[in-house]
Amino acid sequence: MPIRRRYPQLPKPVEYAHIGWDLIIIIAVVLNLGLLLFDSLYLIGPFNQAVASLAPGFHAFYDSEVHDRFFHIDLFFVGLFVVDILLGWAAAIAERRYHRWFFYPFVHWYDVLGCIPLSGFRLLRVLRVVSLLHRLHRLGLVNVTHWPIYKFFFKYYDILLEELSDRIALRLLGNVQQQILASDSLTERVIDRVIMPRKAALISEIVQRLESTVGEAYQLNRDTAMTAIDNLVTRTLNESPEIQRLQRLPMGQTATSAMQASISGVAQRLVDEMALGIHSPEFRQFIERTADSSFDSWLSVDKQSNQITEQVLYDILEMLKEQVNRQRWKDRYE
């Protein structure tokens, strides 16, 4: 079954339709807030009288057509906002915008609260402007990253986010250091829970790396090794008193040269066989038995080694704390 792609690239007509609908909702929010503000002022006696004296016709019209029906007019705006939530939810599901279908009201919480018929909550719907600007920026119609207000808020948002994350990281690292110092058997627990369950895998990895390293090193340096063996055999024979006496005999020089070539060839062949034997099953079994028999002695722990391990871990965490505590935002903004 093919995996459905989330966050697909929407066709431009669909994006423009979203922008148009966002503009309609923003205009409705502005009208609704303006109406709420004016009607609240209308209830104040001096303001009511001032409107009646300055525009008696408008006052009579507003009093009979708007103020008396204000509940029904406001209910129309609430209904429009509820329809906006339902349409936006359906569009988010169709466009696979979020990981789960029920995420929409949580992501757009400001729109959901804006449906509540309270003026304070209606102001939250002004945040719809952020969504509109995001769509315009994504389509390339505007570039908000060049706006001074965007740079201002992004700068301090970035600083705040880094400072908060650094403080959390420092607190966590400090707690880990306290746990290390408070533990009496950290090294033993690391060996028992981490290393010993992976003993066979570690030994196999050691053998494999040894075979690979020795084999590659020998292939790269074989000519040098053969020359060194030949020089060693030659020097040894020349320094031997028995060989020197043999050279004084008739045909002694020939016999000495033949002996030198034979011994050098045997030594070189022996080294070649040893290098090839590294990849043999017998050599692997030998190394595995050696590593297995000495593994426990390598991991033997006493009080001093336990303190050294804890101190190493503590110092590593301290170094990480120093790195985290460095305010990198000063390098970016200064």
Side-chain angles (χ1 to χ4, degrees):
M1 181 178 180
I3 300 176
R4 297 196 306 172
R5 181 186 173 194
R6 288 170 48 217
Y7 311 112
Q9 186 66 33
L10 298 177
K12 284 193 175 182
V14 178
E15 291 281 8
Y16 287 129
H18 280 296
I19 292 174
W21 180 253
D22 286 341
L23 287 173
I24 293 174
I25 296 300
I26 291 173
I27 293 173
V29 170
V30 172
L31 290 176
N32 185 228
L33 292 175
L35 186 61
L36 287 171
L37 177 62
F38 186 83
D39 196 72
S40 299
L41 295 175
Y42 186 81
L43 297 175
I44 301 175
F47 182 82
N48 193 319
Q49 296 173 4
V51 172
S53 60
L54 295 175
F58 172 78
H59 180 273
F61 169 79
Y62 184 84
D63 188 67
S64 60
E65 301 295 333
V66 178
H67 182 70
D68 291 343
R69 302 177 182 178
F70 186 81
F71 176 78
H72 298 88
I73 296 174
D74 189 61
L75 192 61
F76 167 78
F77 282 103
V78 172
L80 178 62
F81 297 151
V82 171
V83 170
D84 171 57
I85 291 293
L86 297 177
L87 289 178
W89 198 346
I93 295 174
E95 296 168 3
R96 305 184 187 96
R97 198 180 307 164
Y98 304 112
H99 186 67
R100 290 289 184 267
W101 65 271
F102 53 84
F103 279 13
Y104 181 85
F106 297 100
V107 176
H108 297 264
W109 55 270
Y110 46 88
D111 286 339
V112 175
L113 293 179
C115 295
I116 301 175
L118 294 175
S119 57
F121 286 149
R122 299 286 175 84
L123 288 171
L124 292 174
R125 296 192 70 88
V126 178
L127 294 176
R128 190 66 169 268
V129 176
V130 178
S131 175
L132 176 61
L133 290 176
H134 175 69
R135 291 186 183 278
L136 293 174
H137 177 78
R138 188 168 58 187
L139 289 173
L141 300 178
V142 297
N143 190 351
V144 297
T145 59
H146 293 165
W147 295 359
I149 188 172
Y150 174 85
K151 294 179 180 180
F152 175 81
F153 282 106
F154 180 79
K155 172 183 176 180
Y156 290 101
Y157 169 78
D158 187 36
I159 293 174
L160 177 62
L161 193 63
E162 181 176 328
E163 288 293 332
L164 288 175
S165 60
D166 287 352
R167 298 289 80 74
I168 294 173
L170 289 173
R171 182 66 178 272
L172 291 175
L173 293 174
N175 290 337
V176 174
Q177 286 180 314
Q178 292 177 3
Q179 293 295 327
I180 291 175
L181 295 178
S183 176
D184 296 330
S185 58
L186 176 63
T187 306
E188 290 88 342
R189 285 187 288 123
V190 169
I191 293 174
D192 293 338
R193 298 184 184 182
V194 179
I195 297 179
M196 293 307 294
R198 298 166 177 82
K199 178 180 178 180
L202 290 173
I203 293 176
S204 177
E205 183 68 17
I206 292 172
V207 174
Q208 182 178 355
R209 288 181 179 271
L210 182 61
E211 290 178 354
S212 176
T213 302
V214 174
E216 291 178 1
Y218 180 73
Q219 292 298 327
L220 293 174
N221 300 280
R222 184 180 182 280
D223 295 338
T224 304
M226 294 299 103
T227 302
I229 292 172
D230 187 65
N231 293 335
L232 177 62
V233 172
T234 301
R235 186 173 64 254
T236 302
L237 292 178
N238 291 334
E239 294 175 356
S240 173
E242 290 79 5
I243 298 299
Q244 292 176 1
R245 286 194 295 269
L246 179 63
Q247 289 177 348
R248 298 190 188 100
L249 298 175
M251 302 296 291
Q253 189 67 34
T254 303
T256 301
S257 299
M259 185 183 299
Q260 176 184 340
S262 178
I263 295 175
S264 179
V266 171
Q268 292 175 353
R269 180 64 182 272
L270 179 62
V271 173
D272 271 338
E273 291 294 333
M274 290 178 60
L276 294 175
I278 290 176
H279 302 284
S280 65
E282 293 78 9
F283 180 80
R284 173 178 282 270
Q285 293 175 2
F286 170 74
I287 296 298
E288 287 179 351
R289 288 194 300 269
T290 304
D292 185 67
S293 61
S294 57
F295 204 80
D296 294 335
S297 62
W298 293 344
L299 299 177
S300 60
V301 177
D302 53 20
K303 184 177 180 180
Q304 182 179 1
S305 61
N306 191 29
Q307 291 177 349
I308 293 174
T309 302
E310 293 177 356
Q311 188 62 43
V312 168
L313 293 176
Y314 186 92
D315 291 342
I316 290 174
L317 293 175
E318 190 66 27
M319 182 184 64
L320 291 176
K321 287 173 64 176
E322 292 177 0
Q323 184 67 23
V324 171
N325 199 34
R326 181 172 175 268
Q327 295 175 317
R328 292 182 297 275
W329 58 266
K330 291 184 178 180
D331 299 332
R332 296 194 298 270
Y333 297 112
E334 290 186 359

